Amino acid sequence: MEACRLAIPLKAKAVIAQGVKSNPNSVKLWIQASKLEEDTVNKSRVLRKGLEHIFDSVRLWKAVVELANEEDARLLLQRAVECCPLHVELWLDLAKLENCENAEKVRRRTNRGG
């Protein structure tokens, strides 16, 4: 991480790429890699790649949802609560995006523990 901070932007990407290659289970590296991307599509792509390695990372899920439009965010959160069923904040975020009827279904699922 320190080498990335000190490197010029183009070289920083290479440093982080090497980092995630050697340590694909580092949430910090995936977050940093996404920050080095300039556009939202590439940021999201990097975070989703991280989720392939660390599917139960709440930080990665929240970061990718933050970049998504409302419809995609709803789909992502549906998957996130499957991967992280005990994380209440993800359930609440999902309920906020649902209509009243579906929000009630989400609430009932949380009471059953997923």
Side-chain angles (χ1 to χ4, degrees):
M1 294 287 283
E2 186 65 15
C4 173
R5 190 181 67 75
L6 296 173
I8 57 173
L10 192 56
K11 186 159 179 132
K13 277 188 176 185
V15 170
I16 288 292
Q18 185 60 39
V20 295
K21 187 175 184 180
S22 63
N23 188 6
N25 294 321
S26 171
V27 173
K28 285 182 180 181
L29 287 173
W30 287 107
I31 296 287
Q32 186 61 38
S34 73
K35 288 179 181 177
L36 292 174
E37 296 297 332
E38 293 183 19
D39 65 82
T40 304
V41 172
N42 287 338
K43 287 177 188 286
S44 181
R45 187 175 295 132
V46 167
L47 293 168
R48 288 172 189 244
K49 189 71 172 168
L51 285 166
E52 290 176 17
H53 296 277
I54 323 165
F55 65 90
D56 60 347
S57 170
V58 173
R59 273 186 72 199
L60 288 178
W61 280 112
K62 288 178 78 86
V64 76
V65 166
E66 194 173 288
L67 296 172
N69 63 43
E70 188 173 326
E71 185 178 328
D72 289 342
R74 184 179 301 112
L75 294 172
L76 287 164
L77 283 165
Q78 288 171 351
R79 180 70 178 130
V81 298
E82 291 174 9
C83 295
C84 310
L86 300 179
H87 199 277
V88 175
E89 196 171 336
L90 291 174
W91 285 100
L92 292 173
D93 289 345
L94 176 59
K96 288 176 193 172
L97 292 177
E98 294 290 357
N99 60 38
C100 290
E101 182 181 320
N102 288 339
E104 179 60 24
K105 290 177 186 175
V106 169
R107 188 195 64 76
R108 282 191 297 243
R109 284 177 61 196
T110 62
N111 289 340
R112 290 194 314 255

